[in-house]
Amino acid sequence: MVWYPYNRSEEFPALGQGGRCAMGGPVYHYNAALKSDTKFPEYYDKALFMYDWMRNWVFAVRLDENQNYVRMEPFMETNGDFRRPIDIEVGPEGSFYMLEYGSVYGIDNVDARLVRIDYNGGNRAPFAKIETKDTIGIAPYKVAFTSKSYDNDDDDKLSYEWSFEGNKIASTEQNVNYTFQKNGIYNAILKVTDAAGKSGLDTVVIKVGNTMPQVAINTTSNSSFFFPKATNFNYKVDVKDNEDKVIDAKKVKVNLDFIAKVESNQALVGHQEITPTYNFGKSLVAKSDCKACHQINGKSVGPSFMQVAQRYTGNKDAVSRLAKKIIVGGGGVWGEHAMSAHPQISNDDATEIVKYILSLNAKKTNAALPQQGAVALKQHLANKDQGRYIFSASYTDKGGAITPLTKKETIVLRPAKVQAEDADVFNNVDKNDRYVGSIHNKSYIVFKNIDLRNINKLTYYYASANHSGTIEVHIDSPKGEIISTANFTSTGKWEKYTELSTSIKNPGVNMIFILCF
């Protein structure tokens, strides 16, 4: 077909912010006489399709007989994979053809493309999903497999085919127990089929002939927090393995990392992979038009975020200066392309965006450690008591009868000053990114897996315009043992904050820490 690109953004103003990047058209006209398996249905008849190059969305807009706006609805909101659409046409068969610019403005994008969107009406293929808690063991190894498969067509009845050792079908039940008699690595495959014959597959790898090592980090120090003064973290790493009679000390890896800049407490709590990030700022970048002209570490019309972070590292005025530049625009620093103004972005949000960009050049220190000892925690002293210590220990076994397995355990130490909005559970309170408020009788917040060992005092930073009350600290549940009580009084104004300190009964480690009001 011949492609005629056009831009109707002047005829149809943009929906929301960023009008220069929104385009309108075509209007879809349903043809009942057209014989096509891929044409769009009558539901979209006379709908105007509008799309935004910056934000990668497409909307179907409904107009009345006088071309006045009635309503709009997202198109392919959950299953669309748009790469900056710049034009849409309706093909002769009733399918849509979308021209996509690609990820970044001003370069030859490898993901620029022309795609066809077909309407897939009628029966939809089911989705196969295997759930099992057991994937590694020793022969004979019995594994319980559960099907969590589903079909978006509610009336469809699914049939099941399980295979574990080759293509032979071992079971047609929805859930099945299977015993692997010999050591080896197997693909457990589930095929689900609907009444019309459409099917879906899922695979889980089962390893028989080895078991996961056991790694434990034992410490008499606090395992949740570091403190304003330099302290030692005392530790001992214990390793056990059912197949290795002798633990190879060379395969025990113990490390202490320090990440200087981290935004979210929740992103670094628990035994998970650790990624330093300013989460809120990162989410704001994802929702804005920043990535149209900037990449993380690649060439575009503007500097990469990494280049910006490297240039302004150590500049005390960088955050306020760059936040202002995001809002009012500017140029001349990186070349001939000026940055557009973003007056719709608040100063607080612009500040968070800058913090995220500058965090990309955050320094991370790493030190290999012996299996037992004490390590000084002092890097935070030069970082205004911010950052995270990440203490990790891992062991890779000798492989048993199949393949080596690695087990890793991690302890994350965060500042002893904890933000209320970083709690894990909130009940009968309001919260935003900077505080918790609108607290009532029997309100509470929960911090999970908190080590209160070696802590004998809690200090609250609060404001209360005209109410006094009591803060109780419970463990395990809102009705659990009370280990601290503090009576607070009104500060007279919401914006007037004060500190209140109280003693705490030391309950031990890894408790659920609950503030009740």
Side-chain angles (χ1 to χ4, degrees):
M1 74 182 272
V2 180
W3 198 265
Y4 297 100
Y6 54 88
N7 187 327
R8 299 178 181 170
S9 59
E10 294 182 0
E11 181 179 354
F12 295 99
L15 306 177
Q17 300 166 351
R20 67 187 185 279
C21 299
M23 288 149 280
V27 174
Y28 178 69
H29 296 282
Y30 176 74
N31 183 358
L34 177 63
K35 294 182 178 180
S36 172
D37 294 331
T38 63
K39 68 180 180 181
F40 274 52
E42 188 176 4
Y43 175 81
Y44 288 110
D45 186 41
K46 296 183 177 61
L48 165 66
F49 283 82
M50 301 187 71
Y51 34 103
D52 191 295
W53 180 84
M54 285 288 189
R55 294 163 183 81
N56 287 321
W57 53 245
V58 180
F59 277 86
V61 181
R62 309 292 184 167
L63 307 176
D64 63 17
E65 62 275 8
N66 297 316
Q67 304 302 302
N68 295 314
Y69 171 81
V70 177
R71 71 179 190 277
M72 56 189 279
E73 61 191 62
F75 175 71
M76 297 181 67
E77 182 180 24
T78 59
N79 61 343
D81 181 27
F82 306 127
R83 312 284 176 85
R84 304 199 182 281
I86 58 173
D87 201 9
I88 299 176
E89 291 283 359
V90 181
E93 77 283 27
S95 295
F96 278 28
Y97 290 81
M98 178 182 289
L99 187 63
E100 298 179 325
Y101 184 91
S103 299
V104 182
Y105 176 69
I107 67 172
D108 294 327
N109 288 301
V110 296
D111 59 346
R113 61 188 184 178
L114 173 66
V115 299
R116 188 180 77 190
I117 303 174
D118 295 337
Y119 178 72
N120 182 21
N123 182 55
R124 292 168 288 185
F127 292 88
K129 182 174 177 57
I130 300 172
E131 185 175 280
T132 181
K133 297 180 180 179
D134 307 310
T135 59
I136 301 172
I138 298 293
Y141 185 46
K142 185 178 180 180
V143 181
F145 295 96
T146 301
S147 170
K148 294 295 184 179
S149 307
Y150 62 94
D151 194 311
N152 286 321
D153 300 315
D154 294 337
D155 296 335
D156 274 353
K157 184 178 180 180
L158 299 180
S159 61
Y160 305 87
E161 294 179 353
W162 294 90
S163 57
F164 303 105
E165 300 181 54
N167 296 323
K168 183 179 178 180
I169 298 174
S171 176
T172 57
E173 298 294 323
Q174 180 175 350
N175 306 315
V176 62
N177 294 325
Y178 188 81
T179 300
F180 296 88
Q181 299 293 343
K182 297 180 180 180
N183 293 329
I185 299 176
Y186 302 93
N187 288 327
I189 301 173
L190 170 62
K191 180 180 180 181
V192 294
T193 307
D194 65 16
K198 290 192 174 183
S199 61
L201 294 172
D202 192 20
T203 302
V204 170
V205 177
I206 305 297
K207 298 178 180 180
V208 184
N210 196 4
T211 57
M212 190 68 72
Q214 301 173 48
V215 177
I217 302 173
N218 299 305
T219 179
T220 57
S221 304
N222 190 283
S223 60
S224 291
F225 304 109
F226 62 84
F227 302 94
K229 295 182 180 181
T231 57
N232 284 337
F233 182 77
N234 302 299
Y235 69 91
K236 179 183 179 184
V237 177
D238 291 327
V239 178
K240 297 180 181 179
D241 188 86
N242 292 332
E243 289 71 48
D244 294 355
K245 295 182 179 180
V246 177
I247 300 299
D248 186 351
K250 294 180 181 179
K251 294 185 177 181
V252 179
K253 306 297 182 183
V254 181
N255 291 281
L256 178 69
D257 300 312
F258 178 70
I259 298 175
K261 296 180 180 179
V262 179
E263 178 67 10
S264 170
N265 283 337
Q266 291 180 327
L268 293 178
V269 176
H271 302 293
Q272 55 181 300
E273 291 302 316
I274 306 301
T275 303
T277 176
Y278 279 77
N279 283 346
F280 183 50
K282 184 177 181 181
S283 68
L284 292 173
V285 168
K287 295 175 183 178
S288 72
D289 61 0
C290 298
K291 289 188 176 180
C293 298
H294 305 275
Q295 296 191 77
I296 297 295
N297 199 18
K299 182 180 179 181
S300 184
V301 295
S304 70
F305 288 155
M306 185 60 74
Q307 286 178 303
V308 175
Q310 291 171 347
R311 168 171 283 190
Y312 290 98
T313 294
N315 188 326
K316 296 180 180 179
D317 301 324
V319 174
S320 59
R321 175 183 173 187
L322 296 179
K324 181 179 180 181
K325 193 171 183 180
I326 289 174
I327 297 171
V328 303
V333 178
W334 297 94
E336 61 182 10
H337 294 283
M339 184 169 69
S340 302
H342 298 80
Q344 75 277 11
I345 297 180
S346 68
N347 184 69
D348 287 344
D349 285 353
T351 298
E352 293 300 325
I353 289 173
V354 173
K355 286 181 179 179
Y356 159 67
I357 294 171
L358 298 182
S359 76
L360 298 174
N361 195 42
K363 294 181 179 180
K364 186 176 80 168
T365 60
N366 177 283
L369 301 170
Q371 196 168 335
Q372 179 177 353
V375 58
L377 305 180
K378 58 184 179 181
Q379 291 96 324
H380 64 280
L381 300 179
N383 198 48
K384 298 181 179 179
D385 291 333
Q386 296 300 307
R388 298 292 186 277
Y389 290 97
I390 304 166
F391 188 91
S392 61
S394 66
Y395 175 70
T396 301
D397 67 16
K398 298 175 183 177
I402 46 169
T403 186
L405 299 173
T406 299
K407 178 67 173 180
K408 182 178 182 180
E409 290 292 334
T410 301
I411 290 178
V412 179
L413 303 177
R414 55 179 171 172
K417 181 181 290 184
V418 178
Q419 300 298 121
E421 62 270 18
D422 290 328
D424 299 291
V425 178
F426 301 86
N427 181 75
N428 197 25
V429 299
D430 291 339
K431 68 174 288 287
N432 62 20
D433 296 306
R434 292 174 176 82
Y435 63 83
V436 172
S438 297
I439 296 171
H440 310 281
N441 184 37
K442 297 185 179 180
S443 295
Y444 64 81
I445 59 177
V446 178
F447 293 89
K448 296 182 179 179
N449 300 321
I450 293 295
D451 184 357
L452 296 176
R453 178 173 38 190
N454 303 328
I455 295 176
N456 54 31
K457 182 177 71 172
L458 297 176
T459 299
Y460 304 101
Y461 184 67
Y462 79 97
S464 177
N466 46 33
H467 290 287
S468 300
T470 301
I471 303 174
E472 296 178 346
V473 179
H474 297 244
I475 55 174
D476 295 333
S477 78
K479 295 182 180 180
E481 178 187 357
I482 299 176
I483 59 173
S484 180
T485 301
N487 297 315
F488 66 89
T489 58
S490 168
T491 60
K493 296 181 180 180
W494 288 119
E495 64 274 14
K496 183 180 179 180
Y497 283 81
T498 188
E499 290 188 353
L500 171 66
S501 295
T502 183
S503 61
I504 180 174
K505 175 184 175 182
N506 198 322
V509 300
N510 296 326
M511 311 303 294
I512 297 178
F513 173 40
I514 304 173
L515 295 181
C516 296
F517 305 94

